[in-house]
Amino acid sequence: MEAKKVAEIATSAGEILLSNGAEAYRVEETIKKICSSYGFNGECISTSTGIFISISDQEGEFVTSVKRINLRRVDLYRVELINSFSRGLAENPLPYEEAKNKLREIYNAPNFSLGIRLLAAGLTAFSYAIFFNGGILDALVSLLISFGIYLLLEYISKIGSFQFLEYYLSGFIIGAVSLAIGSFFPQINKDNVITGAIIVLLPGVALTNGIKDLLYGDYVSGFAKLGEAILIIVAMSVGIVTALSIFMKWF
Amino acid sequence: MSTVQLLQVVIAFFGSIFPAVLFNIDRKKIGWAGLSGALGWSAYLLVFNVTQNAIASTFVGAVVVGCYSESLARKLKTPAFEFLIPGIFPLVPGFTAYTALRYIAENNMSQALSKGVLALAVGGSIGFGIMLSTTIFKFFTKLKNIRLYGKS
């Protein structure tokens, strides 16, 4: 196969990996593995926002490809599919068309429907409200709030990338709604409601992947991801504190 | 372990499953992800009952979650973070962090500082627990490869 086509396959595999929350070393290793399974020598640098690939063939010609990644979400299933795709290529290098089809299939792999994800978000809040010693009533309120928050996040992320706004608003709404409900119904403890609801917003993936990137020596993307996690936590905290300090006077 | 603590382990199991669904985990591995959280929290409780120290207990919990994820990832041939990310959810100091925020809103800075530092320390010990287990596993994998194939 020509170097150009290999570069195309490697780039789209890397794009799927990076935009679905894989670590930098995984992106680099996968791209190198794909190149070497077609008999080329590939080099790759991945940061948290883009991939640079350079492939050299036997005559010493270089093919270079750069891809900027804008969409960033978390999808462990797609990362796993690409992982097994590149393992399979090493044993049996597929022809160009087949590999392209396989990648398209992975790109369109099934996701949980919005209803199930909504339910999962609600039940996450529900379990953690109880986990931190809350009652069933606190947990139910927490569940309802996180329904709303998840819908809001889904809506804002469709418009564009407004990470700070998303998390600030969510924190603010969680704080304000819990305070209001807690003051109208004295049997509900607002502290337990809030702790349950904020767990859904936790940047767990950015945090763990940032640490892993640092361990593998990818300092650029490691600190970028840790910075992203800190930004999310700060935005959320500032939102909650704003809501609490404004409304505590009234309720 | 008391009954309340056993109940907490059960909730930790479900509390690791639901976030994993949000991250679109492979449907066949949902149970394994839940087990990761339950194991981590059991380790936390076992250490906490002896030492009464949240930071040390969280560290041990994170190390257990890390070792479990890395060994299961090698067995099932999938990325380790599929079990690592759900597993740390129960260990996150959500309540302490929120209490610190509430003290800030109430203008009670000395309490806010003490709770905030505790939340930071617990969060940091999760990070270092994962770091330790991942590096150890990485080290031994390299060592095994060098022994078997003479290269890394």
Side-chain angles (χ1 to χ4, degrees):
Chain A
M1 202 189 295
E2 299 162 39
K4 262 184 192 167
K5 287 180 171 171
V6 176
E8 199 186 326
I9 290 173
T11 314
S12 38
E15 186 190 355
I16 295 177
L17 277 182
L18 198 56
S19 61
N20 287 309
E23 309 99 312
Y25 83 90
R26 191 182 302 283
V27 177
E28 291 176 3
E29 267 175 19
T30 307
I31 286 173
K32 269 189 196 169
K33 208 187 273 175
I34 291 177
C35 294
S36 67
S37 52
Y38 286 108
F40 290 98
N41 187 18
E43 278 296 329
C44 169
I45 293 178
S46 154
T47 67
S48 62
T49 49
I51 322 168
F52 311 86
I53 302 173
S54 172
I55 296 177
S56 58
D57 58 13
Q58 287 83 353
E59 283 98 51
E61 294 271 325
F62 280 94
V63 176
T64 310
S65 161
V66 177
K67 186 81 196 168
R68 172 77 162 89
I69 307 293
N70 286 319
L71 169 82
R72 296 228 305 288
R73 56 174 181 199
V74 181
D75 192 324
L76 305 180
Y77 186 49
R78 286 189 173 77
V79 173
E80 195 197 320
L81 284 177
I82 292 281
N83 203 36
S84 45
F85 169 75
S86 72
R87 271 175 210 264
L89 276 190
E91 284 154 21
N92 168 33
L94 295 170
Y96 175 72
E97 280 302 323
E98 261 178 65
K100 269 303 229 189
N101 278 338
K102 198 93 184 274
L103 282 172
R104 207 169 295 129
E105 229 170 73
I106 294 174
Y107 189 82
N108 297 323
N111 206 336
F112 285 105
S113 66
L114 181 65
I116 293 181
R117 274 179 291 145
L118 210 58
L119 198 67
L123 285 174
T124 307
F126 183 85
S127 350
Y128 281 102
I130 294 182
F131 190 72
F132 293 117
N133 299 323
I136 293 284
L137 230 74
D138 303 338
L140 277 176
V141 176
S142 200
L143 184 144
L144 290 179
I145 290 179
S146 68
F147 272 174
I149 294 299
Y150 196 79
L151 278 178
L152 179 82
L153 287 181
E154 193 85 343
Y155 179 73
I156 294 183
S157 61
K158 256 182 204 146
I159 299 174
S161 173
F162 296 99
Q163 214 166 28
F164 186 81
L165 182 75
E166 275 176 30
Y167 288 95
Y168 178 78
L169 258 185
S170 317
F172 187 82
I173 292 173
I174 289 175
V177 173
S178 314
L179 250 180
I181 292 178
S183 68
F184 286 129
F185 304 96
Q187 62 270 44
I188 287 172
N189 182 350
K190 70 169 191 316
D191 299 349
N192 294 327
V193 175
I194 295 179
T195 30
I198 56 176
I199 291 286
V200 181
L201 301 175
L202 205 78
V205 176
L207 220 57
T208 40
N209 282 354
I211 292 170
K212 274 200 139 179
D213 278 349
L214 286 182
L215 283 180
Y216 281 84
D218 299 316
Y219 292 105
V220 175
S221 66
F223 280 118
K225 276 173 193 161
L226 285 186
E228 185 188 345
I230 290 172
L231 180 79
I232 289 175
I233 292 174
V234 167
M236 195 166 79
S237 315
V238 173
I240 292 175
V241 171
T242 321
L244 287 184
S245 16
I246 293 176
F247 296 114
M248 247 183 205
K249 303 275 185 299
W250 296 352
F251 293 118
Chain B
M1 270 197 253
S2 60
T3 25
V4 177
Q5 292 186 333
L6 277 179
L7 185 72
Q8 276 186 344
V9 172
V10 175
I11 297 173
F13 180 84
F14 288 105
S16 310
I17 284 180
F18 298 130
V21 172
L22 287 182
F23 299 143
N24 194 24
I25 195 177
D26 182 12
R27 284 138 192 78
K28 278 169 266 167
K29 301 198 177 73
I30 286 180
W32 293 115
L35 200 59
S36 169
L39 269 179
W41 190 251
S42 315
Y44 172 96
L45 287 177
L46 285 178
V47 178
F48 190 80
N49 287 344
V50 178
T51 62
Q52 301 293 321
N53 181 341
I55 299 166
S57 326
T58 310
F59 179 76
V60 174
V63 170
V64 167
V65 170
C67 291
Y68 168 83
S69 314
E70 294 285 337
S71 40
L72 199 61
R74 278 164 181 70
K75 199 167 171 349
L76 300 179
K77 292 209 187 315
T78 94
F81 65 4
E82 277 196 294
F83 315 110
L84 195 59
I85 294 164
I88 61 162
F89 263 78
L91 298 171
V92 169
F95 196 77
T96 321
Y98 163 69
T99 319
L101 293 181
R102 203 191 60 203
Y103 281 129
I104 292 178
E106 287 169 354
N107 229 343
N108 185 346
M109 287 306 161
S110 58
Q111 285 289 330
L113 197 64
S114 96
K115 287 287 174 190
V117 170
L118 178 63
L120 271 184
V122 172
S125 69
I126 297 177
F128 279 106
I130 296 171
M131 271 192 181
L132 187 69
S133 46
T134 310
T135 339
I136 289 175
F137 266 85
K138 205 181 143 193
F139 179 77
F140 279 108
T141 316
K142 282 248 157 129
L143 206 66
K144 204 175 112 193
N145 284 346
I146 289 172
R147 284 238 177 100
L148 282 180
Y149 312 111
K151 61 177 176 131
S152 52

